Amino acid sequence: HCEMLLRNNMGELLDFQNRWISEHPDKNLYMFKDSSLNADVAYDYTDTDADGNPVDNKEFIEDYWRERVRENKDYESNFTIGMRGVHDGAWNPVNAKTDDEKIALLEEIIAKQREILSEEIGKPANEIPQTFIPYKEILPLYNKGLNVPDDVTIMWTNDNYGHLRQTPNAEERSRSGGSGFYYHVSYFGRPSSVIWNGGTQLGLIKEEMTKAYDTGASSVWILNVGPLKPFENQTEYFLDLGRDINKVRNTSIKDYTAENAKHYWGFDDEQAQEYADIQCKFLETANARRPEFQIQGLYSLTSYGDEGQRILDLYKQLESRSEALYNSLPEEKKPSFYELQLYAIKSAVNVMNNYIGADKSILYKSQGRNASVNKYAKQSKDGYNSIISDTNTYNEMLDGKWNNVINPFQNVEHGSWDIKIGGASADTIDSLGYTKMNIAVENQSDINAVPSLEFSGYTKDVRFIDIFNEGNGSFDWKVSSDMNWITFNKNSGTVTNDDRIYAGIDWNNIPNGISNANITVTRYIGENAVESKDISVTVNNSVDNLPEKTYAEANGYVSIEAEHFSRSISNGEYEWIEQDDFGRSGNSMKFMPDTAEPLSDRSSYLEYDVNFESTGDFNVDIYRMPTLNERGGVRFAIGIDELSPTELSGCNSYMNNSNGKDKWGLGILNNTEILTANISVTEPGIHKIRLYGIDPGTVIDKLVITTGEKHPSYYGALESFNTTYNNEAMQKPDPAVPSEDLNDVKELFSPKLY
């Protein structure tokens, strides 16, 4: 997009400029300082300088382009036309400041380039392959009326993170030059770079590139893959889509990945399916927040089962499963497996250890959990050091064949725009000179608040209790309840810094309705109880026999995965289609078809049956995948029952030089855009939440209705109980890491991760 007529400015401009100046001592050039070359350059197509004095820049640049065309006239080439900055920088011509002036100048440049091509190659311009790439700041000029000759291929672009900025319209689909796409799975730039471990979800590539194909952008696809090795899986999938799009688009991502595993390593069906399960869940989780995008304080450590710990435990589980496959391979096949899966997962574990450890050490220091601070600070430092160790293993494999292709710290070395992976963020502190017990429970953000736990008969919750030492030394503890229907994964132990236990309900022995109980944690010296802490418990076991595909309000919210609808209402060509392996949590729903005009009559929608216990006005957060449409929109509407819905409009355009705080930049970093509406529930019982399609191409991942206290969270509330889609117990501790803590009540604490 910046190498016009095959010229590579970074390697060629200065040498040509010096030679041209020496050969034309009577010529005068307007020069400006270019940061990419750190030199004064004359790369501005103008015949006057900033003060209106005549200069010879046009002649200089035309000679520069002409020389290269002449050198390559006998080769098959596709020439990029137009103009941008010297090297991947914004185009800021000295004498064209308004959009209209820039459009006129760009049309003049294109005409001159085509003249050069025709003269040097000896053919009419419309017989010479040319590509116009409206990248970054050039696309708005095109949309404001820039004329591009019909025979030129327009290569549309994405936002550098995998979301197409716009696709060809009906008029552009009839162009003789056709359309293509310049797509990224790797990017060095704002708001944060992806050049190490953040492999793009294959479902995003599938959804966006099939959209490109269906809207007519099929002449040429180019992938920016950056360092290649971290993005081998994405590169192969992109190329396979381009080679046989109908076959690949009709194959599930998981089946595609499993077939590759058989081909790569000779896995049997069971092993290949295991590999695919691991890979798809890893990419889903990594894309929900790329390892390169982690920041401190991102996840809740108190709500939804300790959100940060849950994601760390999920990565650990994937790591354990991946290592089992790795260990089953013969030695000669292990390096490729390490490169294609295991290293990326291990790195994600290390990054999460680094950040979650730092976050916990900071939080626990503020809460007076003194003996725990150094424990989690060490976890953070160990995570950082493990990144280095695992990267060294990668670099040393195969006698250093891929040494330094993987480099997690190159952003720092090249001056990144945000803080990257760092060490622990809590200092060593002086603890009390004696032992002191305290406790904290799930959803308790204030350590001084009276601890309480709530359970729902729908979600069959499991809640954590932290028993911790505010001082030094160690102590023994026991936990008990005044009701025999409260169960624990362990009833006693010894604490040096902290110990996390889990409380659940024996649902076979608790009465219906609302029940109350008390949990007591007691510290012992020998057989003597020396102090205790009480936790009040409320259990809502008022459970109705709900119809199929119905969600139940519980714990102050209703959380809905978009693909788990009760019914889908289509209208002719307009319909919502499930998107395979595309979303922060499972699949997602896309309003189709991509080639249709916006739908204004609310005739195509998804419907979700929800049983409400509460009444009132409630917020609905809709999690939209951050797809774009720069000359259209990404609108939808949300409503309840037959009431008039609320129309919402998402961010539809890319923001150049984003600092990550604008709507587009936040959408990239969070891999979602959260839009909020309000619904009114006037009476308890089953109501219908309706998601109406407006703009084709809009993709919805999740909806959360808050009916009680809204807890801080990155992901939003876990999916609510649904009679068909999600009817097992929620928020289990992670069974991937062997622990005696999980052996007592296996049926209660069976595996279920986010």
Side-chain angles (χ1 to χ4, degrees), residues 371 434-439 467-478 492-499 521-525 530-531:
Y434 52 90
T435 301
K436 183 179 180 182
M437 183 188 80
N438 207 340
I439 63 172
I467 306 167
F468 59 88
N469 187 359
E470 290 187 353
N472 58 13
S474 63
F475 61 82
D476 296 328
W477 61 266
K478 293 181 180 180
S492 62
T494 301
V495 163
T496 300
N497 35 60
D498 58 26
D499 200 355
V521 181
T522 305
R523 175 190 167 198
Y524 283 81
I525 297 179
V530 294
E531 61 178 323

PDB file of all heavy atoms in Angstrom, residues 371 434-439 467-478 492-499 521-525 530-531:
ATOM      1  N   ALA A 371       0.373 -11.892  54.774  1.00  0.00           N
ATOM      2  CA  ALA A 371       1.173 -13.083  54.502  1.00  0.00           C
ATOM      3  C   ALA A 371       1.024 -13.559  53.066  1.00  0.00           C
ATOM      4  O   ALA A 371       1.828 -14.375  52.595  1.00  0.00           O
ATOM      5  CB  ALA A 371       0.781 -14.204  55.460  1.00  0.00           C
ATOM      6  N   TYR A 434       2.786 -11.536  64.662  1.00  0.00           N
ATOM      7  CA  TYR A 434       2.041 -12.643  65.252  1.00  0.00           C
ATOM      8  C   TYR A 434       1.042 -13.160  64.217  1.00  0.00           C
ATOM      9  O   TYR A 434       0.845 -12.567  63.158  1.00  0.00           O
ATOM     10  CB  TYR A 434       1.311 -12.190  66.512  1.00  0.00           C
ATOM     11  CG  TYR A 434       0.452 -10.960  66.309  1.00  0.00           C
ATOM     12  CD1 TYR A 434      -0.881 -11.072  65.924  1.00  0.00           C
ATOM     13  CD2 TYR A 434       0.988  -9.684  66.487  1.00  0.00           C
ATOM     14  CE1 TYR A 434      -1.669  -9.943  65.722  1.00  0.00           C
ATOM     15  CE2 TYR A 434       0.211  -8.555  66.286  1.00  0.00           C
ATOM     16  CZ  TYR A 434      -1.113  -8.682  65.909  1.00  0.00           C
ATOM     17  OH  TYR A 434      -1.882  -7.575  65.698  1.00  0.00           O
ATOM     18  N   THR A 435       0.390 -14.270  64.528  1.00  0.00           N
ATOM     19  CA  THR A 435      -0.566 -14.898  63.617  1.00  0.00           C
ATOM     20  C   THR A 435      -1.959 -14.328  63.864  1.00  0.00           C
ATOM     21  O   THR A 435      -2.375 -14.164  65.012  1.00  0.00           O
ATOM     22  CB  THR A 435      -0.586 -16.417  63.843  1.00  0.00           C
ATOM     23  OG1 THR A 435       0.725 -16.923  63.626  1.00  0.00           O
ATOM     24  CG2 THR A 435      -1.548 -17.085  62.875  1.00  0.00           C
ATOM     25  N   LYS A 436      -2.679 -14.029  62.766  1.00  0.00           N
ATOM     26  CA  LYS A 436      -4.042 -13.517  62.885  1.00  0.00           C
ATOM     27  C   LYS A 436      -4.877 -14.017  61.722  1.00  0.00           C
ATOM     28  O   LYS A 436      -4.511 -13.829  60.566  1.00  0.00           O
ATOM     29  CB  LYS A 436      -4.048 -11.989  62.919  1.00  0.00           C
ATOM     30  CG  LYS A 436      -5.442 -11.398  63.116  1.00  0.00           C
ATOM     31  CD  LYS A 436      -5.398  -9.885  63.164  1.00  0.00           C
ATOM     32  CE  LYS A 436      -6.809  -9.319  63.368  1.00  0.00           C
ATOM     33  NZ  LYS A 436      -6.796  -7.829  63.364  1.00  0.00           N
ATOM     34  N   MET A 437      -6.013 -14.649  62.012  1.00  0.00           N
ATOM     35  CA  MET A 437      -6.879 -15.198  60.971  1.00  0.00           C
ATOM     36  C   MET A 437      -7.916 -14.172  60.525  1.00  0.00           C
ATOM     37  O   MET A 437      -8.445 -13.407  61.324  1.00  0.00           O
ATOM     38  CB  MET A 437      -7.611 -16.443  61.492  1.00  0.00           C
ATOM     39  CG  MET A 437      -8.479 -17.121  60.439  1.00  0.00           C
ATOM     40  SD  MET A 437      -9.511 -18.461  61.113  1.00  0.00           S
ATOM     41  CE  MET A 437     -10.860 -17.519  61.845  1.00  0.00           C
ATOM     42  N   ASN A 438      -8.205 -14.202  59.218  1.00  0.00           N
ATOM     43  CA  ASN A 438      -9.337 -13.449  58.688  1.00  0.00           C
ATOM     44  C   ASN A 438      -9.872 -14.219  57.480  1.00  0.00           C
ATOM     45  O   ASN A 438      -9.230 -15.176  57.006  1.00  0.00           O
ATOM     46  CB  ASN A 438      -8.948 -12.027  58.304  1.00  0.00           C
ATOM     47  CG  ASN A 438     -10.131 -11.072  58.389  1.00  0.00           C
ATOM     48  OD1 ASN A 438     -11.300 -11.492  58.367  1.00  0.00           O
ATOM     49  ND2 ASN A 438      -9.833  -9.782  58.483  1.00  0.00           N
ATOM     50  N   ILE A 439     -11.032 -13.795  56.980  1.00  0.00           N
ATOM     51  CA  ILE A 439     -11.630 -14.474  55.834  1.00  0.00           C
ATOM     52  C   ILE A 439     -12.158 -13.448  54.838  1.00  0.00           C
ATOM     53  O   ILE A 439     -12.395 -12.281  55.169  1.00  0.00           O
ATOM     54  CB  ILE A 439     -12.789 -15.418  56.253  1.00  0.00           C
ATOM     55  CG1 ILE A 439     -13.931 -14.615  56.891  1.00  0.00           C
ATOM     56  CG2 ILE A 439     -12.287 -16.522  57.157  1.00  0.00           C
ATOM     57  CD1 ILE A 439     -15.176 -15.438  57.139  1.00  0.00           C
ATOM     58  N   ILE A 467      -9.456 -18.193  53.448  1.00  0.00           N
ATOM     59  CA  ILE A 467      -9.007 -18.126  54.842  1.00  0.00           C
ATOM     60  C   ILE A 467      -7.555 -17.676  54.795  1.00  0.00           C
ATOM     61  O   ILE A 467      -6.719 -18.337  54.161  1.00  0.00           O
ATOM     62  CB  ILE A 467      -9.135 -19.501  55.529  1.00  0.00           C
ATOM     63  CG1 ILE A 467     -10.563 -20.037  55.385  1.00  0.00           C
ATOM     64  CG2 ILE A 467      -8.715 -19.419  56.999  1.00  0.00           C
ATOM     65  CD1 ILE A 467     -10.706 -21.509  55.761  1.00  0.00           C
ATOM     66  N   PHE A 468      -7.243 -16.542  55.417  1.00  0.00           N
ATOM     67  CA  PHE A 468      -5.892 -16.007  55.225  1.00  0.00           C
ATOM     68  C   PHE A 468      -5.292 -15.518  56.541  1.00  0.00           C
ATOM     69  O   PHE A 468      -5.986 -15.289  57.533  1.00  0.00           O
ATOM     70  CB  PHE A 468      -5.890 -14.892  54.180  1.00  0.00           C
ATOM     71  CG  PHE A 468      -6.770 -13.716  54.479  1.00  0.00           C
ATOM     72  CD1 PHE A 468      -6.305 -12.641  55.220  1.00  0.00           C
ATOM     73  CD2 PHE A 468      -8.079 -13.678  54.015  1.00  0.00           C
ATOM     74  CE1 PHE A 468      -7.109 -11.549  55.482  1.00  0.00           C
ATOM     75  CE2 PHE A 468      -8.899 -12.595  54.267  1.00  0.00           C
ATOM     76  CZ  PHE A 468      -8.419 -11.520  55.014  1.00  0.00           C
ATOM     77  N   ASN A 469      -3.989 -15.370  56.489  1.00  0.00           N
ATOM     78  CA  ASN A 469      -3.188 -14.979  57.640  1.00  0.00           C
ATOM     79  C   ASN A 469      -2.767 -13.522  57.481  1.00  0.00           C
ATOM     80  O   ASN A 469      -2.101 -13.175  56.509  1.00  0.00           O
ATOM     81  CB  ASN A 469      -1.969 -15.896  57.740  1.00  0.00           C
ATOM     82  CG  ASN A 469      -1.152 -15.674  59.001  1.00  0.00           C
ATOM     83  OD1 ASN A 469      -1.470 -14.814  59.816  1.00  0.00           O
ATOM     84  ND2 ASN A 469      -0.093 -16.461  59.159  1.00  0.00           N
ATOM     85  N   GLU A 470      -3.166 -12.676  58.410  1.00  0.00           N
ATOM     86  CA  GLU A 470      -2.755 -11.270  58.359  1.00  0.00           C
ATOM     87  C   GLU A 470      -1.364 -11.065  58.953  1.00  0.00           C
ATOM     88  O   GLU A 470      -0.791  -9.981  58.821  1.00  0.00           O
ATOM     89  CB  GLU A 470      -3.760 -10.401  59.118  1.00  0.00           C
ATOM     90  CG  GLU A 470      -5.109 -10.290  58.416  1.00  0.00           C
ATOM     91  CD  GLU A 470      -6.029  -9.301  59.106  1.00  0.00           C
ATOM     92  OE1 GLU A 470      -5.670  -8.804  60.202  1.00  0.00           O
ATOM     93  OE2 GLU A 470      -7.105  -9.016  58.548  1.00  0.00           O
ATOM     94  N   GLY A 471      -0.836 -12.081  59.594  1.00  0.00           N
ATOM     95  CA  GLY A 471       0.471 -11.944  60.226  1.00  0.00           C
ATOM     96  C   GLY A 471       1.463 -12.947  59.689  1.00  0.00           C
ATOM     97  O   GLY A 471       1.498 -13.217  58.485  1.00  0.00           O
ATOM     98  N   ASN A 472       2.276 -13.530  60.590  1.00  0.00           N
ATOM     99  CA  ASN A 472       3.239 -14.545  60.167  1.00  0.00           C
ATOM    100  C   ASN A 472       3.011 -15.827  60.948  1.00  0.00           C
ATOM    101  O   ASN A 472       2.136 -15.899  61.794  1.00  0.00           O
ATOM    102  CB  ASN A 472       4.680 -14.036  60.306  1.00  0.00           C
ATOM    103  CG  ASN A 472       4.996 -13.625  61.741  1.00  0.00           C
ATOM    104  OD1 ASN A 472       4.242 -13.926  62.670  1.00  0.00           O
ATOM    105  ND2 ASN A 472       6.107 -12.922  61.919  1.00  0.00           N
ATOM    106  N   GLY A 473       3.800 -16.838  60.618  1.00  0.00           N
ATOM    107  CA  GLY A 473       3.579 -18.134  61.224  1.00  0.00           C
ATOM    108  C   GLY A 473       2.490 -18.885  60.485  1.00  0.00           C
ATOM    109  O   GLY A 473       2.258 -18.666  59.295  1.00  0.00           O
ATOM    110  N   SER A 474       1.800 -19.792  61.185  1.00  0.00           N
ATOM    111  CA  SER A 474       0.733 -20.567  60.567  1.00  0.00           C
ATOM    112  C   SER A 474      -0.317 -20.896  61.626  1.00  0.00           C
ATOM    113  O   SER A 474      -0.066 -20.757  62.832  1.00  0.00           O
ATOM    114  CB  SER A 474       1.275 -21.850  59.940  1.00  0.00           C
ATOM    115  OG  SER A 474       1.844 -22.691  60.931  1.00  0.00           O
ATOM    116  N   PHE A 475      -1.486 -21.329  61.156  1.00  0.00           N
ATOM    117  CA  PHE A 475      -2.530 -21.726  62.095  1.00  0.00           C
ATOM    118  C   PHE A 475      -3.395 -22.810  61.469  1.00  0.00           C
ATOM    119  O   PHE A 475      -3.476 -22.942  60.251  1.00  0.00           O
ATOM    120  CB  PHE A 475      -3.390 -20.534  62.530  1.00  0.00           C
ATOM    121  CG  PHE A 475      -4.128 -19.844  61.418  1.00  0.00           C
ATOM    122  CD1 PHE A 475      -5.346 -20.328  60.935  1.00  0.00           C
ATOM    123  CD2 PHE A 475      -3.610 -18.690  60.853  1.00  0.00           C
ATOM    124  CE1 PHE A 475      -6.022 -19.677  59.921  1.00  0.00           C
ATOM    125  CE2 PHE A 475      -4.284 -18.030  59.836  1.00  0.00           C
ATOM    126  CZ  PHE A 475      -5.493 -18.529  59.355  1.00  0.00           C
ATOM    127  N   ASP A 476      -4.059 -23.581  62.325  1.00  0.00           N
ATOM    128  CA  ASP A 476      -5.000 -24.607  61.897  1.00  0.00           C
ATOM    129  C   ASP A 476      -6.406 -24.026  61.903  1.00  0.00           C
ATOM    130  O   ASP A 476      -6.736 -23.145  62.713  1.00  0.00           O
ATOM    131  CB  ASP A 476      -4.947 -25.810  62.843  1.00  0.00           C
ATOM    132  CG  ASP A 476      -3.597 -26.501  62.827  1.00  0.00           C
ATOM    133  OD1 ASP A 476      -2.953 -26.486  61.758  1.00  0.00           O
ATOM    134  OD2 ASP A 476      -3.199 -27.041  63.881  1.00  0.00           O
ATOM    135  N   TRP A 477      -7.247 -24.552  61.027  1.00  0.00           N
ATOM    136  CA  TRP A 477      -8.624 -24.054  60.954  1.00  0.00           C
ATOM    137  C   TRP A 477      -9.581 -25.209  60.666  1.00  0.00           C
ATOM    138  O   TRP A 477      -9.186 -26.250  60.136  1.00  0.00           O
ATOM    139  CB  TRP A 477      -8.763 -22.976  59.868  1.00  0.00           C
ATOM    140  CG  TRP A 477      -8.419 -23.479  58.472  1.00  0.00           C
ATOM    141  CD1 TRP A 477      -7.217 -23.388  57.852  1.00  0.00           C
ATOM    142  CD2 TRP A 477      -9.291 -24.169  57.567  1.00  0.00           C
ATOM    143  NE1 TRP A 477      -7.256 -23.983  56.620  1.00  0.00           N
ATOM    144  CE2 TRP A 477      -8.532 -24.457  56.408  1.00  0.00           C
ATOM    145  CE3 TRP A 477     -10.620 -24.571  57.618  1.00  0.00           C
ATOM    146  CZ2 TRP A 477      -9.070 -25.140  55.312  1.00  0.00           C
ATOM    147  CZ3 TRP A 477     -11.158 -25.244  56.526  1.00  0.00           C
ATOM    148  CH2 TRP A 477     -10.394 -25.523  55.387  1.00  0.00           C
ATOM    149  N   LYS A 478     -10.849 -24.979  60.994  1.00  0.00           N
ATOM    150  CA  LYS A 478     -11.933 -25.878  60.631  1.00  0.00           C
ATOM    151  C   LYS A 478     -13.122 -25.034  60.181  1.00  0.00           C
ATOM    152  O   LYS A 478     -13.286 -23.901  60.631  1.00  0.00           O
ATOM    153  CB  LYS A 478     -12.341 -26.766  61.817  1.00  0.00           C
ATOM    154  CG  LYS A 478     -11.284 -27.770  62.238  1.00  0.00           C
ATOM    155  CD  LYS A 478     -11.780 -28.632  63.397  1.00  0.00           C
ATOM    156  CE  LYS A 478     -10.706 -29.630  63.820  1.00  0.00           C
ATOM    157  NZ  LYS A 478     -11.172 -30.479  64.959  1.00  0.00           N
ATOM    158  N   SER A 492     -11.056 -28.791  56.929  1.00  0.00           N
ATOM    159  CA  SER A 492     -10.005 -28.341  57.847  1.00  0.00           C
ATOM    160  C   SER A 492      -8.704 -28.207  57.079  1.00  0.00           C
ATOM    161  O   SER A 492      -8.554 -28.710  55.963  1.00  0.00           O
ATOM    162  CB  SER A 492      -9.839 -29.326  59.005  1.00  0.00           C
ATOM    163  OG  SER A 492      -9.450 -30.601  58.511  1.00  0.00           O
ATOM    164  N   GLY A 493      -7.752 -27.519  57.716  1.00  0.00           N
ATOM    165  CA  GLY A 493      -6.460 -27.340  57.078  1.00  0.00           C
ATOM    166  C   GLY A 493      -5.554 -26.474  57.912  1.00  0.00           C
ATOM    167  O   GLY A 493      -5.881 -26.080  59.038  1.00  0.00           O
ATOM    168  N   THR A 494      -4.396 -26.171  57.339  1.00  0.00           N
ATOM    169  CA  THR A 494      -3.407 -25.301  57.985  1.00  0.00           C
ATOM    170  C   THR A 494      -3.048 -24.186  57.022  1.00  0.00           C
ATOM    171  O   THR A 494      -2.779 -24.439  55.842  1.00  0.00           O
ATOM    172  CB  THR A 494      -2.144 -26.088  58.364  1.00  0.00           C
ATOM    173  OG1 THR A 494      -2.506 -27.148  59.253  1.00  0.00           O
ATOM    174  CG2 THR A 494      -1.118 -25.189  59.037  1.00  0.00           C
ATOM    175  N   VAL A 495      -3.046 -22.966  57.511  1.00  0.00           N
ATOM    176  CA  VAL A 495      -2.769 -21.796  56.674  1.00  0.00           C
ATOM    177  C   VAL A 495      -1.454 -21.159  57.092  1.00  0.00           C
ATOM    178  O   VAL A 495      -1.232 -20.902  58.287  1.00  0.00           O
ATOM    179  CB  VAL A 495      -3.907 -20.760  56.778  1.00  0.00           C
ATOM    180  CG1 VAL A 495      -3.453 -19.407  56.259  1.00  0.00           C
ATOM    181  CG2 VAL A 495      -5.116 -21.230  55.997  1.00  0.00           C
ATOM    182  N   THR A 496      -0.598 -20.934  56.104  1.00  0.00           N
ATOM    183  CA  THR A 496       0.576 -20.094  56.304  1.00  0.00           C
ATOM    184  C   THR A 496       0.319 -18.707  55.719  1.00  0.00           C
ATOM    185  O   THR A 496       0.549 -17.688  56.370  1.00  0.00           O
ATOM    186  CB  THR A 496       1.818 -20.717  55.648  1.00  0.00           C
ATOM    187  OG1 THR A 496       2.056 -21.999  56.221  1.00  0.00           O
ATOM    188  CG2 THR A 496       3.041 -19.834  55.850  1.00  0.00           C
ATOM    189  N   ASN A 497      -0.158 -18.683  54.471  1.00  0.00           N
ATOM    190  CA  ASN A 497      -0.504 -17.400  53.841  1.00  0.00           C
ATOM    191  C   ASN A 497      -2.001 -17.322  53.565  1.00  0.00           C
ATOM    192  O   ASN A 497      -2.701 -16.490  54.096  1.00  0.00           O
ATOM    193  CB  ASN A 497       0.317 -17.152  52.577  1.00  0.00           C
ATOM    194  CG  ASN A 497       0.612 -18.431  51.811  1.00  0.00           C
ATOM    195  OD1 ASN A 497      -0.307 -19.124  51.374  1.00  0.00           O
ATOM    196  ND2 ASN A 497       1.896 -18.757  51.674  1.00  0.00           N
ATOM    197  N   ASP A 498      -2.515 -18.222  52.713  1.00  0.00           N
ATOM    198  CA  ASP A 498      -3.961 -18.262  52.494  1.00  0.00           C
ATOM    199  C   ASP A 498      -4.372 -19.638  51.988  1.00  0.00           C
ATOM    200  O   ASP A 498      -3.551 -20.414  51.508  1.00  0.00           O
ATOM    201  CB  ASP A 498      -4.428 -17.158  51.533  1.00  0.00           C
ATOM    202  CG  ASP A 498      -3.766 -17.206  50.168  1.00  0.00           C
ATOM    203  OD1 ASP A 498      -3.333 -18.293  49.735  1.00  0.00           O
ATOM    204  OD2 ASP A 498      -3.678 -16.157  49.509  1.00  0.00           O
ATOM    205  N   ASP A 499      -5.650 -19.918  52.102  1.00  0.00           N
ATOM    206  CA  ASP A 499      -6.205 -21.188  51.666  1.00  0.00           C
ATOM    207  C   ASP A 499      -7.595 -20.889  51.115  1.00  0.00           C
ATOM    208  O   ASP A 499      -8.384 -20.195  51.770  1.00  0.00           O
ATOM    209  CB  ASP A 499      -6.289 -22.169  52.843  1.00  0.00           C
ATOM    210  CG  ASP A 499      -6.397 -23.621  52.386  1.00  0.00           C
ATOM    211  OD1 ASP A 499      -6.499 -23.841  51.164  1.00  0.00           O
ATOM    212  OD2 ASP A 499      -6.385 -24.514  53.255  1.00  0.00           O
ATOM    213  N   VAL A 521     -15.986 -20.308  60.356  1.00  0.00           N
ATOM    214  CA  VAL A 521     -14.578 -20.687  60.189  1.00  0.00           C
ATOM    215  C   VAL A 521     -13.885 -20.426  61.520  1.00  0.00           C
ATOM    216  O   VAL A 521     -13.945 -19.300  62.047  1.00  0.00           O
ATOM    217  CB  VAL A 521     -13.901 -19.892  59.062  1.00  0.00           C
ATOM    218  CG1 VAL A 521     -12.444 -20.331  58.907  1.00  0.00           C
ATOM    219  CG2 VAL A 521     -14.656 -20.065  57.748  1.00  0.00           C
ATOM    220  N   THR A 522     -13.236 -21.448  62.053  1.00  0.00           N
ATOM    221  CA  THR A 522     -12.655 -21.358  63.396  1.00  0.00           C
ATOM    222  C   THR A 522     -11.169 -21.658  63.357  1.00  0.00           C
ATOM    223  O   THR A 522     -10.730 -22.614  62.705  1.00  0.00           O
ATOM    224  CB  THR A 522     -13.342 -22.343  64.362  1.00  0.00           C
ATOM    225  OG1 THR A 522     -14.762 -22.106  64.341  1.00  0.00           O
ATOM    226  CG2 THR A 522     -12.824 -22.185  65.774  1.00  0.00           C
ATOM    227  N   ARG A 523     -10.415 -20.833  64.056  1.00  0.00           N
ATOM    228  CA  ARG A 523      -8.971 -21.066  64.210  1.00  0.00           C
ATOM    229  C   ARG A 523      -8.736 -21.853  65.492  1.00  0.00           C
ATOM    230  O   ARG A 523      -9.349 -21.575  66.530  1.00  0.00           O
ATOM    231  CB  ARG A 523      -8.228 -19.730  64.261  1.00  0.00           C
ATOM    232  CG  ARG A 523      -6.735 -19.874  64.531  1.00  0.00           C
ATOM    233  CD  ARG A 523      -6.095 -18.519  64.803  1.00  0.00           C
ATOM    234  NE  ARG A 523      -4.761 -18.684  65.344  1.00  0.00           N
ATOM    235  CZ  ARG A 523      -4.083 -17.740  65.990  1.00  0.00           C
ATOM    236  NH1 ARG A 523      -4.632 -16.544  66.156  1.00  0.00           N
ATOM    237  NH2 ARG A 523      -2.873 -17.973  66.453  1.00  0.00           N
ATOM    238  N   TYR A 524      -7.811 -22.821  65.397  1.00  0.00           N
ATOM    239  CA  TYR A 524      -7.519 -23.690  66.542  1.00  0.00           C
ATOM    240  C   TYR A 524      -6.038 -23.636  66.917  1.00  0.00           C
ATOM    241  O   TYR A 524      -5.160 -23.475  66.051  1.00  0.00           O
ATOM    242  CB  TYR A 524      -7.872 -25.145  66.221  1.00  0.00           C
ATOM    243  CG  TYR A 524      -9.354 -25.441  66.269  1.00  0.00           C
ATOM    244  CD1 TYR A 524     -10.181 -25.138  65.197  1.00  0.00           C
ATOM    245  CD2 TYR A 524      -9.911 -26.013  67.409  1.00  0.00           C
ATOM    246  CE1 TYR A 524     -11.531 -25.409  65.249  1.00  0.00           C
ATOM    247  CE2 TYR A 524     -11.267 -26.294  67.475  1.00  0.00           C
ATOM    248  CZ  TYR A 524     -12.079 -25.982  66.384  1.00  0.00           C
ATOM    249  OH  TYR A 524     -13.427 -26.255  66.446  1.00  0.00           O
ATOM    250  N   ILE A 525      -5.808 -23.748  68.205  1.00  0.00           N
ATOM    251  CA  ILE A 525      -4.473 -24.065  68.722  1.00  0.00           C
ATOM    252  C   ILE A 525      -4.625 -25.389  69.460  1.00  0.00           C
ATOM    253  O   ILE A 525      -5.270 -25.454  70.523  1.00  0.00           O
ATOM    254  CB  ILE A 525      -3.936 -22.971  69.662  1.00  0.00           C
ATOM    255  CG1 ILE A 525      -3.765 -21.660  68.908  1.00  0.00           C
ATOM    256  CG2 ILE A 525      -2.610 -23.414  70.284  1.00  0.00           C
ATOM    257  CD1 ILE A 525      -3.267 -20.513  69.782  1.00  0.00           C
ATOM    258  N   VAL A 530      -9.744 -20.645  69.219  1.00  0.00           N
ATOM    259  CA  VAL A 530      -9.278 -19.363  69.761  1.00  0.00           C
ATOM    260  C   VAL A 530      -9.940 -18.164  69.084  1.00  0.00           C
ATOM    261  O   VAL A 530      -9.977 -17.078  69.669  1.00  0.00           O
ATOM    262  CB  VAL A 530      -7.745 -19.240  69.647  1.00  0.00           C
ATOM    263  CG1 VAL A 530      -7.074 -20.279  70.540  1.00  0.00           C
ATOM    264  CG2 VAL A 530      -7.285 -19.392  68.210  1.00  0.00           C
ATOM    265  N   GLU A 531     -10.455 -18.312  67.880  1.00  0.00           N
ATOM    266  CA  GLU A 531     -11.207 -17.228  67.241  1.00  0.00           C
ATOM    267  C   GLU A 531     -12.022 -17.821  66.102  1.00  0.00           C
ATOM    268  O   GLU A 531     -11.702 -18.886  65.562  1.00  0.00           O
ATOM    269  CB  GLU A 531     -10.286 -16.118  66.720  1.00  0.00           C
ATOM    270  CG  GLU A 531      -9.292 -16.547  65.662  1.00  0.00           C
ATOM    271  CD  GLU A 531      -8.434 -15.384  65.143  1.00  0.00           C
ATOM    272  OE1 GLU A 531      -8.967 -14.271  65.020  1.00  0.00           O
ATOM    273  OE2 GLU A 531      -7.237 -15.615  64.862  1.00  0.00           O
TER     274      GLU A 531
END
